[in-house]
Amino acid sequence: MNNVFHLSIFQNNDSLFIVGLIFGILSIASLSFFIFEKIKPETNIKELKNCTKSWWVMSTMFVGATVFSTKISYVAIAFLSFVAFREIYSLLGFRQSDRRAIFWAFVAIPIQYYLAYIGWYGFYIIFIPVVMFLFLPLRLVLKGETKGIIQSMTTLQWILMLTVFGISHMAYLLSLPDLEGFSAGGRGLLLFLVFLTEINDVMQFVWGKLFGKHKIIPKISPNKTWEGFIGGVISTTAIGYGLGFLTPLSTKYLLLVSFLVAIVGFVGDIVMSSIKRDIGVKDTGTTIPGHGGVLDRIDSLAYTAPVFFHLVYYIAY
């Protein structure tokens, strides 16, 4: 193809529909908040507005990258990993002697995404969990500083798994081979994952605000309630079923995957909340002005992406 930009996503009506749906829901939500504040200015919906605004940014980036070129999508998602990794490692108080190991952790990012791009599943799936797991401690040991080395080893590997390995599964979705009778392809799967994770965050928040009374883990996330969690899981599962045309899954597997995405998205959110409480910060960064860091926005995706990918890979591929 000789065009500078390949509008690949618009060659598929299903993908076009979901793009319109994403921005349609965000538009309705933004308008609803504006009207609600005019009618009841005393009601505090700042958190919900910030959540919606941040998803405007994230959705525009994901859809924009996919619209122009699938190759750009790999770069865009890799950039998310880079920024998220930088945000969290800068908060965790690594030793001065850890700098060279951190450098190699950064080097692992383009390697991981290149493996996703070429679709080398065998090496992709072991590069960070095995190769980097073995290599980074050696690099730390070679500096000769043993005090605090266990914390550096475990923390560095954990944030690499979270921000690079987990998120990179979104990129690998784009490298999955075509299936007969499934026209949406990897782009459809990526849009399904991003949208379902996004709507799960919103649904759990809305149900919690409307009916939330019983706290789940008040010491970590006081706004999380059983009512919000259950309502969000049910809503997300139902919405996932309605978007089944973006996946090659049968009805029973579609319901199972949507159900698990909702639960795992919640887990990713509360895990990051606990980490931020331990560090003593509200946000992981200021990358998105007024809405915190990139990791604040993709903490759920860091958990839902690998779960969704491996379920779909096992069931359909």
PDB file of all heavy atoms in Angstrom, residues 57-58 61-62 65 71-87 106 109-110 112-114 163-164 167-168 170-171 287-288 293-295 298:
ATOM      1  N   VAL A  57      -8.623  10.877  26.793  1.00  0.00           N
ATOM      2  CA  VAL A  57      -7.227  10.919  26.354  1.00  0.00           C
ATOM      3  C   VAL A  57      -6.766   9.538  25.906  1.00  0.00           C
ATOM      4  O   VAL A  57      -6.189   9.366  24.822  1.00  0.00           O
ATOM      5  CB  VAL A  57      -6.318  11.444  27.494  1.00  0.00           C
ATOM      6  CG1 VAL A  57      -4.854  11.382  27.071  1.00  0.00           C
ATOM      7  CG2 VAL A  57      -6.701  12.869  27.865  1.00  0.00           C
ATOM      8  N   MET A  58      -7.038   8.520  26.740  1.00  0.00           N
ATOM      9  CA  MET A  58      -6.571   7.177  26.437  1.00  0.00           C
ATOM     10  C   MET A  58      -7.257   6.610  25.199  1.00  0.00           C
ATOM     11  O   MET A  58      -6.607   6.003  24.338  1.00  0.00           O
ATOM     12  CB  MET A  58      -6.826   6.263  27.637  1.00  0.00           C
ATOM     13  CG  MET A  58      -6.086   6.673  28.899  1.00  0.00           C
ATOM     14  SD  MET A  58      -4.294   6.668  28.704  1.00  0.00           S
ATOM     15  CE  MET A  58      -4.014   4.936  28.419  1.00  0.00           C
ATOM     16  N   MET A  61      -5.951   8.164  21.998  1.00  0.00           N
ATOM     17  CA  MET A  61      -4.626   7.655  21.658  1.00  0.00           C
ATOM     18  C   MET A  61      -4.699   6.259  21.048  1.00  0.00           C
ATOM     19  O   MET A  61      -4.110   5.987  20.007  1.00  0.00           O
ATOM     20  CB  MET A  61      -3.736   7.633  22.900  1.00  0.00           C
ATOM     21  CG  MET A  61      -2.275   7.365  22.579  1.00  0.00           C
ATOM     22  SD  MET A  61      -1.374   6.757  24.001  1.00  0.00           S
ATOM     23  CE  MET A  61      -2.049   5.104  24.120  1.00  0.00           C
ATOM     24  N   PHE A  62      -5.455   5.365  21.694  1.00  0.00           N
ATOM     25  CA  PHE A  62      -5.561   3.997  21.195  1.00  0.00           C
ATOM     26  C   PHE A  62      -6.200   3.951  19.811  1.00  0.00           C
ATOM     27  O   PHE A  62      -5.684   3.316  18.889  1.00  0.00           O
ATOM     28  CB  PHE A  62      -6.390   3.137  22.162  1.00  0.00           C
ATOM     29  CG  PHE A  62      -5.607   2.602  23.319  1.00  0.00           C
ATOM     30  CD1 PHE A  62      -5.920   2.965  24.610  1.00  0.00           C
ATOM     31  CD2 PHE A  62      -4.558   1.727  23.112  1.00  0.00           C
ATOM     32  CE1 PHE A  62      -5.204   2.473  25.688  1.00  0.00           C
ATOM     33  CE2 PHE A  62      -3.824   1.226  24.185  1.00  0.00           C
ATOM     34  CZ  PHE A  62      -4.157   1.603  25.476  1.00  0.00           C
ATOM     35  N   ALA A  65      -4.004   5.724  17.055  1.00  0.00           N
ATOM     36  CA  ALA A  65      -2.859   4.916  16.623  1.00  0.00           C
ATOM     37  C   ALA A  65      -3.295   3.786  15.705  1.00  0.00           C
ATOM     38  O   ALA A  65      -2.648   3.482  14.696  1.00  0.00           O
ATOM     39  CB  ALA A  65      -2.130   4.350  17.837  1.00  0.00           C
ATOM     40  N   LYS A  71       1.221  -0.440  12.755  1.00  0.00           N
ATOM     41  CA  LYS A  71       2.594  -0.319  13.242  1.00  0.00           C
ATOM     42  C   LYS A  71       2.709   0.792  14.283  1.00  0.00           C
ATOM     43  O   LYS A  71       3.447   0.661  15.258  1.00  0.00           O
ATOM     44  CB  LYS A  71       3.543  -0.042  12.075  1.00  0.00           C
ATOM     45  CG  LYS A  71       3.704  -1.221  11.121  1.00  0.00           C
ATOM     46  CD  LYS A  71       4.669  -0.906  10.007  1.00  0.00           C
ATOM     47  CE  LYS A  71       4.828  -2.087   9.054  1.00  0.00           C
ATOM     48  NZ  LYS A  71       5.762  -1.794   7.946  1.00  0.00           N
ATOM     49  N   ILE A  72       1.974   1.878  14.064  1.00  0.00           N
ATOM     50  CA  ILE A  72       1.993   2.967  15.044  1.00  0.00           C
ATOM     51  C   ILE A  72       1.439   2.491  16.379  1.00  0.00           C
ATOM     52  O   ILE A  72       1.867   2.940  17.443  1.00  0.00           O
ATOM     53  CB  ILE A  72       1.207   4.180  14.515  1.00  0.00           C
ATOM     54  CG1 ILE A  72       1.890   4.756  13.274  1.00  0.00           C
ATOM     55  CG2 ILE A  72       1.069   5.255  15.589  1.00  0.00           C
ATOM     56  CD1 ILE A  72       1.167   5.927  12.650  1.00  0.00           C
ATOM     57  N   SER A  73       0.480   1.563  16.326  1.00  0.00           N
ATOM     58  CA  SER A  73      -0.106   1.042  17.560  1.00  0.00           C
ATOM     59  C   SER A  73       0.949   0.375  18.435  1.00  0.00           C
ATOM     60  O   SER A  73       0.957   0.548  19.659  1.00  0.00           O
ATOM     61  CB  SER A  73      -1.211   0.037  17.236  1.00  0.00           C
ATOM     62  OG  SER A  73      -2.242   0.629  16.492  1.00  0.00           O
ATOM     63  N   TYR A  74       1.853  -0.389  17.824  1.00  0.00           N
ATOM     64  CA  TYR A  74       2.920  -1.029  18.598  1.00  0.00           C
ATOM     65  C   TYR A  74       3.775   0.031  19.293  1.00  0.00           C
ATOM     66  O   TYR A  74       4.114  -0.106  20.477  1.00  0.00           O
ATOM     67  CB  TYR A  74       3.808  -1.875  17.687  1.00  0.00           C
ATOM     68  CG  TYR A  74       3.154  -3.100  17.119  1.00  0.00           C
ATOM     69  CD1 TYR A  74       2.637  -3.107  15.830  1.00  0.00           C
ATOM     70  CD2 TYR A  74       3.076  -4.281  17.856  1.00  0.00           C
ATOM     71  CE1 TYR A  74       2.052  -4.242  15.290  1.00  0.00           C
ATOM     72  CE2 TYR A  74       2.484  -5.421  17.330  1.00  0.00           C
ATOM     73  CZ  TYR A  74       1.977  -5.387  16.039  1.00  0.00           C
ATOM     74  OH  TYR A  74       1.400  -6.516  15.520  1.00  0.00           O
ATOM     75  N   VAL A  75       4.119   1.063  18.565  1.00  0.00           N
ATOM     76  CA  VAL A  75       4.963   2.124  19.124  1.00  0.00           C
ATOM     77  C   VAL A  75       4.227   2.859  20.239  1.00  0.00           C
ATOM     78  O   VAL A  75       4.800   3.158  21.292  1.00  0.00           O
ATOM     79  CB  VAL A  75       5.386   3.108  18.014  1.00  0.00           C
ATOM     80  CG1 VAL A  75       6.186   4.262  18.606  1.00  0.00           C
ATOM     81  CG2 VAL A  75       6.197   2.397  16.942  1.00  0.00           C
ATOM     82  N   ALA A  76       2.938   3.137  20.021  1.00  0.00           N
ATOM     83  CA  ALA A  76       2.154   3.874  21.011  1.00  0.00           C
ATOM     84  C   ALA A  76       2.027   3.081  22.308  1.00  0.00           C
ATOM     85  O   ALA A  76       2.170   3.632  23.412  1.00  0.00           O
ATOM     86  CB  ALA A  76       0.774   4.191  20.448  1.00  0.00           C
ATOM     87  N   ILE A  77       1.753   1.790  22.203  1.00  0.00           N
ATOM     88  CA  ILE A  77       1.608   0.970  23.409  1.00  0.00           C
ATOM     89  C   ILE A  77       2.963   0.813  24.106  1.00  0.00           C
ATOM     90  O   ILE A  77       3.047   0.843  25.338  1.00  0.00           O
ATOM     91  CB  ILE A  77       0.995  -0.393  23.062  1.00  0.00           C
ATOM     92  CG1 ILE A  77      -0.388  -0.205  22.432  1.00  0.00           C
ATOM     93  CG2 ILE A  77       0.863  -1.252  24.322  1.00  0.00           C
ATOM     94  CD1 ILE A  77      -0.980  -1.478  21.852  1.00  0.00           C
ATOM     95  N   ALA A  78       4.039   0.666  23.316  1.00  0.00           N
ATOM     96  CA  ALA A  78       5.380   0.590  23.898  1.00  0.00           C
ATOM     97  C   ALA A  78       5.709   1.878  24.652  1.00  0.00           C
ATOM     98  O   ALA A  78       6.333   1.847  25.728  1.00  0.00           O
ATOM     99  CB  ALA A  78       6.417   0.337  22.810  1.00  0.00           C
ATOM    100  N   PHE A  79       5.278   3.005  24.102  1.00  0.00           N
ATOM    101  CA  PHE A  79       5.516   4.292  24.768  1.00  0.00           C
ATOM    102  C   PHE A  79       4.764   4.350  26.096  1.00  0.00           C
ATOM    103  O   PHE A  79       5.286   4.878  27.092  1.00  0.00           O
ATOM    104  CB  PHE A  79       5.089   5.439  23.861  1.00  0.00           C
ATOM    105  CG  PHE A  79       5.305   6.800  24.461  1.00  0.00           C
ATOM    106  CD1 PHE A  79       6.585   7.299  24.622  1.00  0.00           C
ATOM    107  CD2 PHE A  79       4.235   7.572  24.883  1.00  0.00           C
ATOM    108  CE1 PHE A  79       6.802   8.556  25.194  1.00  0.00           C
ATOM    109  CE2 PHE A  79       4.430   8.817  25.444  1.00  0.00           C
ATOM    110  CZ  PHE A  79       5.715   9.311  25.604  1.00  0.00           C
ATOM    111  N   LEU A  80       3.549   3.788  26.136  1.00  0.00           N
ATOM    112  CA  LEU A  80       2.811   3.724  27.398  1.00  0.00           C
ATOM    113  C   LEU A  80       3.599   2.937  28.439  1.00  0.00           C
ATOM    114  O   LEU A  80       3.691   3.334  29.606  1.00  0.00           O
ATOM    115  CB  LEU A  80       1.450   3.054  27.180  1.00  0.00           C
ATOM    116  CG  LEU A  80       0.335   3.881  26.561  1.00  0.00           C
ATOM    117  CD1 LEU A  80      -0.932   3.042  26.456  1.00  0.00           C
ATOM    118  CD2 LEU A  80       0.061   5.134  27.362  1.00  0.00           C
ATOM    119  N   SER A  81       4.146   1.800  28.015  1.00  0.00           N
ATOM    120  CA  SER A  81       4.957   0.991  28.930  1.00  0.00           C
ATOM    121  C   SER A  81       6.160   1.769  29.435  1.00  0.00           C
ATOM    122  O   SER A  81       6.497   1.728  30.625  1.00  0.00           O
ATOM    123  CB  SER A  81       5.431  -0.289  28.226  1.00  0.00           C
ATOM    124  OG  SER A  81       4.413  -1.250  28.161  1.00  0.00           O
ATOM    125  N   PHE A  82       6.822   2.469  28.525  1.00  0.00           N
ATOM    126  CA  PHE A  82       8.001   3.255  28.896  1.00  0.00           C
ATOM    127  C   PHE A  82       7.661   4.302  29.954  1.00  0.00           C
ATOM    128  O   PHE A  82       8.340   4.421  30.981  1.00  0.00           O
ATOM    129  CB  PHE A  82       8.585   3.932  27.655  1.00  0.00           C
ATOM    130  CG  PHE A  82       9.655   4.952  27.934  1.00  0.00           C
ATOM    131  CD1 PHE A  82      10.953   4.554  28.201  1.00  0.00           C
ATOM    132  CD2 PHE A  82       9.346   6.304  27.959  1.00  0.00           C
ATOM    133  CE1 PHE A  82      11.942   5.500  28.477  1.00  0.00           C
ATOM    134  CE2 PHE A  82      10.324   7.248  28.239  1.00  0.00           C
ATOM    135  CZ  PHE A  82      11.619   6.841  28.498  1.00  0.00           C
ATOM    136  N   VAL A  83       6.596   5.061  29.707  1.00  0.00           N
ATOM    137  CA  VAL A  83       6.217   6.124  30.644  1.00  0.00           C
ATOM    138  C   VAL A  83       5.763   5.543  31.980  1.00  0.00           C
ATOM    139  O   VAL A  83       6.133   6.031  33.051  1.00  0.00           O
ATOM    140  CB  VAL A  83       5.104   7.003  30.037  1.00  0.00           C
ATOM    141  CG1 VAL A  83       4.629   8.047  31.055  1.00  0.00           C
ATOM    142  CG2 VAL A  83       5.598   7.694  28.773  1.00  0.00           C
ATOM    143  N   ALA A  84       4.961   4.475  31.922  1.00  0.00           N
ATOM    144  CA  ALA A  84       4.476   3.854  33.154  1.00  0.00           C
ATOM    145  C   ALA A  84       5.638   3.297  33.979  1.00  0.00           C
ATOM    146  O   ALA A  84       5.670   3.450  35.207  1.00  0.00           O
ATOM    147  CB  ALA A  84       3.475   2.750  32.825  1.00  0.00           C
ATOM    148  N   PHE A  85       6.596   2.646  33.304  1.00  0.00           N
ATOM    149  CA  PHE A  85       7.764   2.114  34.004  1.00  0.00           C
ATOM    150  C   PHE A  85       8.554   3.245  34.652  1.00  0.00           C
ATOM    151  O   PHE A  85       8.959   3.144  35.822  1.00  0.00           O
ATOM    152  CB  PHE A  85       8.656   1.347  33.024  1.00  0.00           C
ATOM    153  CG  PHE A  85       9.883   0.753  33.652  1.00  0.00           C
ATOM    154  CD1 PHE A  85       9.841  -0.518  34.213  1.00  0.00           C
ATOM    155  CD2 PHE A  85      11.082   1.457  33.692  1.00  0.00           C
ATOM    156  CE1 PHE A  85      10.970  -1.066  34.798  1.00  0.00           C
ATOM    157  CE2 PHE A  85      12.218   0.923  34.278  1.00  0.00           C
ATOM    158  CZ  PHE A  85      12.157  -0.347  34.839  1.00  0.00           C
ATOM    159  N   ARG A  86       8.763   4.322  33.919  1.00  0.00           N
ATOM    160  CA  ARG A  86       9.519   5.462  34.460  1.00  0.00           C
ATOM    161  C   ARG A  86       8.805   6.070  35.660  1.00  0.00           C
ATOM    162  O   ARG A  86       9.451   6.447  36.651  1.00  0.00           O
ATOM    163  CB  ARG A  86       9.713   6.511  33.367  1.00  0.00           C
ATOM    164  CG  ARG A  86      10.626   7.664  33.770  1.00  0.00           C
ATOM    165  CD  ARG A  86      10.709   8.701  32.678  1.00  0.00           C
ATOM    166  NE  ARG A  86       9.403   9.291  32.407  1.00  0.00           N
ATOM    167  CZ  ARG A  86       9.180  10.219  31.484  1.00  0.00           C
ATOM    168  NH1 ARG A  86      10.173  10.623  30.716  1.00  0.00           N
ATOM    169  NH2 ARG A  86       7.981  10.712  31.309  1.00  0.00           N
ATOM    170  N   GLU A  87       7.483   6.178  35.581  1.00  0.00           N
ATOM    171  CA  GLU A  87       6.721   6.765  36.685  1.00  0.00           C
ATOM    172  C   GLU A  87       6.884   5.965  37.969  1.00  0.00           C
ATOM    173  O   GLU A  87       7.155   6.529  39.031  1.00  0.00           O
ATOM    174  CB  GLU A  87       5.227   6.825  36.314  1.00  0.00           C
ATOM    175  CG  GLU A  87       4.868   7.880  35.297  1.00  0.00           C
ATOM    176  CD  GLU A  87       3.405   7.828  34.907  1.00  0.00           C
ATOM    177  OE1 GLU A  87       2.714   6.841  35.276  1.00  0.00           O
ATOM    178  OE2 GLU A  87       2.942   8.764  34.234  1.00  0.00           O
ATOM    179  N   PHE A 106      15.029  -0.791  30.908  1.00  0.00           N
ATOM    180  CA  PHE A 106      14.504   0.068  29.852  1.00  0.00           C
ATOM    181  C   PHE A 106      14.785  -0.538  28.468  1.00  0.00           C
ATOM    182  O   PHE A 106      13.940  -0.479  27.575  1.00  0.00           O
ATOM    183  CB  PHE A 106      15.117   1.468  29.935  1.00  0.00           C
ATOM    184  CG  PHE A 106      14.379   2.404  30.860  1.00  0.00           C
ATOM    185  CD1 PHE A 106      14.985   2.870  32.012  1.00  0.00           C
ATOM    186  CD2 PHE A 106      13.093   2.817  30.571  1.00  0.00           C
ATOM    187  CE1 PHE A 106      14.318   3.737  32.869  1.00  0.00           C
ATOM    188  CE2 PHE A 106      12.411   3.688  31.415  1.00  0.00           C
ATOM    189  CZ  PHE A 106      13.026   4.139  32.570  1.00  0.00           C
ATOM    190  N   ILE A 109      12.280  -2.986  27.032  1.00  0.00           N
ATOM    191  CA  ILE A 109      10.983  -2.542  26.507  1.00  0.00           C
ATOM    192  C   ILE A 109      10.914  -2.675  24.987  1.00  0.00           C
ATOM    193  O   ILE A 109      10.003  -3.343  24.470  1.00  0.00           O
ATOM    194  CB  ILE A 109      10.671  -1.103  26.964  1.00  0.00           C
ATOM    195  CG1 ILE A 109      10.585  -1.044  28.492  1.00  0.00           C
ATOM    196  CG2 ILE A 109       9.370  -0.603  26.323  1.00  0.00           C
ATOM    197  CD1 ILE A 109      10.397   0.349  29.055  1.00  0.00           C
ATOM    198  N   PRO A 110      11.836  -2.064  24.210  1.00  0.00           N
ATOM    199  CA  PRO A 110      11.747  -2.244  22.753  1.00  0.00           C
ATOM    200  C   PRO A 110      11.929  -3.695  22.318  1.00  0.00           C
ATOM    201  O   PRO A 110      11.325  -4.117  21.321  1.00  0.00           O
ATOM    202  CB  PRO A 110      12.868  -1.353  22.208  1.00  0.00           C
ATOM    203  CG  PRO A 110      13.797  -1.138  23.348  1.00  0.00           C
ATOM    204  CD  PRO A 110      12.937  -1.143  24.565  1.00  0.00           C
ATOM    205  N   GLN A 112      10.912  -6.402  23.984  1.00  0.00           N
ATOM    206  CA  GLN A 112       9.640  -7.081  24.234  1.00  0.00           C
ATOM    207  C   GLN A 112       8.606  -6.740  23.159  1.00  0.00           C
ATOM    208  O   GLN A 112       7.887  -7.620  22.666  1.00  0.00           O
ATOM    209  CB  GLN A 112       9.110  -6.687  25.622  1.00  0.00           C
ATOM    210  CG  GLN A 112       7.764  -7.288  25.985  1.00  0.00           C
ATOM    211  CD  GLN A 112       7.835  -8.769  26.329  1.00  0.00           C
ATOM    212  OE1 GLN A 112       8.894  -9.387  26.308  1.00  0.00           O
ATOM    213  NE2 GLN A 112       6.685  -9.352  26.658  1.00  0.00           N
ATOM    214  N   TYR A 113       8.568  -5.476  22.777  1.00  0.00           N
ATOM    215  CA  TYR A 113       7.569  -5.068  21.781  1.00  0.00           C
ATOM    216  C   TYR A 113       7.955  -5.502  20.372  1.00  0.00           C
ATOM    217  O   TYR A 113       7.075  -5.741  19.539  1.00  0.00           O
ATOM    218  CB  TYR A 113       7.328  -3.560  21.867  1.00  0.00           C
ATOM    219  CG  TYR A 113       6.367  -3.233  22.978  1.00  0.00           C
ATOM    220  CD1 TYR A 113       6.825  -2.969  24.268  1.00  0.00           C
ATOM    221  CD2 TYR A 113       4.994  -3.235  22.761  1.00  0.00           C
ATOM    222  CE1 TYR A 113       5.943  -2.709  25.304  1.00  0.00           C
ATOM    223  CE2 TYR A 113       4.107  -2.969  23.784  1.00  0.00           C
ATOM    224  CZ  TYR A 113       4.586  -2.718  25.056  1.00  0.00           C
ATOM    225  OH  TYR A 113       3.705  -2.480  26.072  1.00  0.00           O
ATOM    226  N   TYR A 114       9.243  -5.628  20.112  1.00  0.00           N
ATOM    227  CA  TYR A 114       9.642  -6.164  18.819  1.00  0.00           C
ATOM    228  C   TYR A 114       9.240  -7.636  18.714  1.00  0.00           C
ATOM    229  O   TYR A 114       8.784  -8.089  17.661  1.00  0.00           O
ATOM    230  CB  TYR A 114      11.161  -6.027  18.629  1.00  0.00           C
ATOM    231  CG  TYR A 114      11.644  -6.617  17.316  1.00  0.00           C
ATOM    232  CD1 TYR A 114      11.360  -5.992  16.105  1.00  0.00           C
ATOM    233  CD2 TYR A 114      12.356  -7.817  17.299  1.00  0.00           C
ATOM    234  CE1 TYR A 114      11.783  -6.543  14.904  1.00  0.00           C
ATOM    235  CE2 TYR A 114      12.784  -8.374  16.108  1.00  0.00           C
ATOM    236  CZ  TYR A 114      12.490  -7.731  14.907  1.00  0.00           C
ATOM    237  OH  TYR A 114      12.893  -8.283  13.722  1.00  0.00           O
ATOM    238  N   THR A 163       4.406  -3.181  34.110  1.00  0.00           N
ATOM    239  CA  THR A 163       4.289  -2.104  33.125  1.00  0.00           C
ATOM    240  C   THR A 163       4.717  -2.493  31.715  1.00  0.00           C
ATOM    241  O   THR A 163       4.323  -1.833  30.751  1.00  0.00           O
ATOM    242  CB  THR A 163       5.122  -0.887  33.565  1.00  0.00           C
ATOM    243  OG1 THR A 163       6.507  -1.270  33.658  1.00  0.00           O
ATOM    244  CG2 THR A 163       4.660  -0.358  34.914  1.00  0.00           C
ATOM    245  N   VAL A 164       5.520  -3.548  31.585  1.00  0.00           N
ATOM    246  CA  VAL A 164       5.994  -3.944  30.256  1.00  0.00           C
ATOM    247  C   VAL A 164       5.367  -5.275  29.829  1.00  0.00           C
ATOM    248  O   VAL A 164       4.680  -5.351  28.819  1.00  0.00           O
ATOM    249  CB  VAL A 164       7.532  -4.027  30.200  1.00  0.00           C
ATOM    250  CG1 VAL A 164       7.991  -4.376  28.781  1.00  0.00           C
ATOM    251  CG2 VAL A 164       8.148  -2.708  30.647  1.00  0.00           C
ATOM    252  N   ILE A 167       1.323  -4.998  29.917  1.00  0.00           N
ATOM    253  CA  ILE A 167       0.786  -4.084  28.897  1.00  0.00           C
ATOM    254  C   ILE A 167       1.109  -4.564  27.489  1.00  0.00           C
ATOM    255  O   ILE A 167       0.320  -4.377  26.549  1.00  0.00           O
ATOM    256  CB  ILE A 167       1.347  -2.669  29.117  1.00  0.00           C
ATOM    257  CG1 ILE A 167       0.834  -2.091  30.434  1.00  0.00           C
ATOM    258  CG2 ILE A 167       0.950  -1.739  27.968  1.00  0.00           C
ATOM    259  CD1 ILE A 167      -0.656  -1.931  30.513  1.00  0.00           C
ATOM    260  N   SER A 168       2.253  -5.221  27.297  1.00  0.00           N
ATOM    261  CA  SER A 168       2.662  -5.635  25.949  1.00  0.00           C
ATOM    262  C   SER A 168       1.708  -6.651  25.333  1.00  0.00           C
ATOM    263  O   SER A 168       1.726  -6.863  24.116  1.00  0.00           O
ATOM    264  CB  SER A 168       4.083  -6.211  25.976  1.00  0.00           C
ATOM    265  OG  SER A 168       4.123  -7.462  26.645  1.00  0.00           O
ATOM    266  N   MET A 170      -1.317  -6.243  24.913  1.00  0.00           N
ATOM    267  CA  MET A 170      -2.199  -5.489  24.012  1.00  0.00           C
ATOM    268  C   MET A 170      -1.593  -5.417  22.625  1.00  0.00           C
ATOM    269  O   MET A 170      -2.303  -5.530  21.619  1.00  0.00           O
ATOM    270  CB  MET A 170      -2.442  -4.074  24.563  1.00  0.00           C
ATOM    271  CG  MET A 170      -3.245  -4.037  25.836  1.00  0.00           C
ATOM    272  SD  MET A 170      -3.859  -2.383  26.203  1.00  0.00           S
ATOM    273  CE  MET A 170      -2.339  -1.519  26.516  1.00  0.00           C
ATOM    274  N   ALA A 171      -0.275  -5.242  22.564  1.00  0.00           N
ATOM    275  CA  ALA A 171       0.402  -5.183  21.270  1.00  0.00           C
ATOM    276  C   ALA A 171       0.378  -6.536  20.579  1.00  0.00           C
ATOM    277  O   ALA A 171       0.174  -6.621  19.361  1.00  0.00           O
ATOM    278  CB  ALA A 171       1.842  -4.699  21.451  1.00  0.00           C
ATOM    279  N   THR A 287       1.818  12.973  34.169  1.00  0.00           N
ATOM    280  CA  THR A 287       1.917  12.916  32.714  1.00  0.00           C
ATOM    281  C   THR A 287       0.672  13.443  32.038  1.00  0.00           C
ATOM    282  O   THR A 287       0.732  14.125  31.015  1.00  0.00           O
ATOM    283  CB  THR A 287       2.178  11.474  32.252  1.00  0.00           C
ATOM    284  OG1 THR A 287       3.308  10.961  32.961  1.00  0.00           O
ATOM    285  CG2 THR A 287       2.474  11.432  30.755  1.00  0.00           C
ATOM    286  N   ILE A 288      -0.502  13.112  32.603  1.00  0.00           N
ATOM    287  CA  ILE A 288      -1.777  13.611  32.086  1.00  0.00           C
ATOM    288  C   ILE A 288      -2.212  14.745  33.000  1.00  0.00           C
ATOM    289  O   ILE A 288      -2.678  14.493  34.119  1.00  0.00           O
ATOM    290  CB  ILE A 288      -2.846  12.513  32.036  1.00  0.00           C
ATOM    291  CG1 ILE A 288      -2.332  11.307  31.238  1.00  0.00           C
ATOM    292  CG2 ILE A 288      -4.134  13.026  31.425  1.00  0.00           C
ATOM    293  CD1 ILE A 288      -3.267  10.120  31.233  1.00  0.00           C
ATOM    294  N   GLY A 293      -0.822  10.169  36.493  1.00  0.00           N
ATOM    295  CA  GLY A 293       0.124   9.604  35.540  1.00  0.00           C
ATOM    296  C   GLY A 293      -0.517   8.587  34.616  1.00  0.00           C
ATOM    297  O   GLY A 293      -1.686   8.221  34.765  1.00  0.00           O
ATOM    298  N   VAL A 294       0.288   8.114  33.664  1.00  0.00           N
ATOM    299  CA  VAL A 294      -0.188   7.101  32.726  1.00  0.00           C
ATOM    300  C   VAL A 294      -0.556   5.825  33.462  1.00  0.00           C
ATOM    301  O   VAL A 294      -1.583   5.202  33.190  1.00  0.00           O
ATOM    302  CB  VAL A 294       0.889   6.814  31.662  1.00  0.00           C
ATOM    303  CG1 VAL A 294       0.598   5.514  30.916  1.00  0.00           C
ATOM    304  CG2 VAL A 294       0.970   7.972  30.668  1.00  0.00           C
ATOM    305  N   LEU A 295       0.267   5.423  34.443  1.00  0.00           N
ATOM    306  CA  LEU A 295      -0.007   4.186  35.164  1.00  0.00           C
ATOM    307  C   LEU A 295      -1.311   4.268  35.947  1.00  0.00           C
ATOM    308  O   LEU A 295      -1.991   3.255  36.130  1.00  0.00           O
ATOM    309  CB  LEU A 295       1.155   3.850  36.098  1.00  0.00           C
ATOM    310  CG  LEU A 295       1.088   2.485  36.795  1.00  0.00           C
ATOM    311  CD1 LEU A 295       0.922   1.356  35.779  1.00  0.00           C
ATOM    312  CD2 LEU A 295       2.328   2.258  37.642  1.00  0.00           C
ATOM    313  N   ILE A 298      -3.830   3.174  33.349  1.00  0.00           N
ATOM    314  CA  ILE A 298      -3.757   1.847  32.725  1.00  0.00           C
ATOM    315  C   ILE A 298      -3.481   0.747  33.735  1.00  0.00           C
ATOM    316  O   ILE A 298      -3.119  -0.368  33.352  1.00  0.00           O
ATOM    317  CB  ILE A 298      -2.688   1.809  31.602  1.00  0.00           C
ATOM    318  CG1 ILE A 298      -1.285   2.055  32.173  1.00  0.00           C
ATOM    319  CG2 ILE A 298      -3.013   2.796  30.501  1.00  0.00           C
ATOM    320  CD1 ILE A 298      -0.165   1.844  31.148  1.00  0.00           C
TER     321      ILE A 298
END
